Amino acid sequence: MRQRLSSEPDRYRGRRRVPTPPRSRYAAVVTTAFVGAGVVALGAGAMPDAKSVSPSVLDELKAASTVSQDVAARVDSADRTSRDSDRAGGQESAETEVWLLPLDDYDFNTPYGMRWGKLHTGVDLVAPEGTPYVAIHAGTVTKAGWFGGYGYAVIVQHADGTEAIYGHSSALSVKEGQQVKAGDQLGLVGNTGHSYGSHLHLEVHVKGEPLDPVPFLKERNVDIKLQIEAVYG
């Protein structure tokens, strides 16, 4: 057996890494676990326990939640009401802008102007007796009954102050004070009053004075001669 001489150089002169004892690693793991548990415990301590809250506080929280829900419900209801009101207001506004023909089918007979030495203050629309006629515009019925030479007549006052007179009716379908929309039936064509045959006499008054219905209605997209209205045009 060969004996190593003291003068023989060392084959390995590097520094050896001393391994960590198993006990040290175990201690590090245990320490980490304890630290983590402490953090969790501190966090849990900061969180309020529902059991530790007094009943009065819980009641206040419930009441606040109920009030919040009630306020939200009221806001939602008010919002729906506002939308419905806006929708209804828009629909009503659109209806008040509508102008229509008074009859579905007729012959345009006598225009506005001088006739037999007198001013014919309206237009005559010839149609069979009993033919329904309607309001040319929305308004309030201020007259529904016998009206001198007009015979049985209906007068409707519009929101802008203008008036429409429908004369020589055989029967009336409305009463004084009634609100009507454009297209609502007012009565039936007839031959009452100073009339020479079954027809509807239509007049338009502005500030109490009669105007020619033809240009007046044309400005409102209704051509009473050609029987054209904006709804169908």
Side-chain angles (χ1 to χ4, degrees), residues 10-227:
D10 292 337
R11 294 183 179 180
Y12 179 78
R13 297 180 180 276
R15 181 180 300 173
R16 296 181 61 188
R17 181 175 180 273
V18 180
T20 302
R23 181 174 300 175
S24 299
R25 288 198 299 270
Y26 175 76
V29 172
V30 171
T31 302
T32 302
F34 273 109
V35 171
V39 171
V40 172
L42 288 175
M47 297 292 291
D49 187 2
K51 295 180 182 179
S52 65
V53 180
S54 64
S56 60
V57 175
L58 289 176
D59 292 340
E60 291 177 1
L61 291 175
K62 291 179 181 179
S65 176
T66 302
V67 170
S68 177
Q69 293 175 0
D70 182 59
V71 170
R74 291 182 182 180
V75 170
D76 183 61
S77 177
D79 186 51
R80 288 198 303 270
T81 301
S82 177
R83 289 197 300 268
D84 294 342
S85 178
D86 291 342
R87 191 178 299 111
Q91 182 178 359
E92 183 178 354
S93 176
E95 288 177 350
T96 58
E97 295 300 322
V98 175
W99 291 81
L100 299 175
L101 295 168
L103 291 167
D104 288 335
D105 188 23
Y106 56 86
D107 291 328
F108 186 92
N109 191 354
T110 308
Y112 176 94
M114 297 302 296
R115 186 180 67 166
W116 302 332
K118 294 179 59 178
L119 177 63
H120 184 241
T121 53
V123 294
D124 291 342
L125 311 177
V126 177
E129 186 168 347
T131 302
Y133 65 85
V134 302
I136 60 174
H137 193 54
T140 304
V141 177
T142 57
K143 178 69 178 181
W146 189 266
F147 193 44
Y150 294 92
Y152 288 107
V154 175
I155 301 177
V156 176
Q157 185 176 58
H158 311 134
D160 60 2
T162 61
E163 293 177 308
I165 301 177
Y166 309 80
H168 309 309
S169 307
S170 61
L172 305 179
S173 306
V174 292
K175 297 179 179 180
E176 293 180 8
Q178 183 175 335
Q179 300 291 322
V180 295
K181 300 188 297 293
D184 285 351
Q185 181 174 321
L186 301 179
L188 305 178
V189 173
N191 189 28
T192 58
H194 298 165
S195 174
Y196 303 93
S198 177
H199 69 282
L200 175 68
H201 176 84
L202 176 66
E203 287 188 21
V204 173
H205 287 211
V206 176
K207 296 181 180 180
E209 297 296 328
L211 293 182
D212 188 348
V214 175
F216 178 87
L217 291 176
K218 273 188 176 180
E219 292 177 358
R220 290 152 180 82
N221 301 316
V222 176
D223 193 324
I224 200 168
K225 280 188 173 181
L226 298 179
Q227 302 186 33

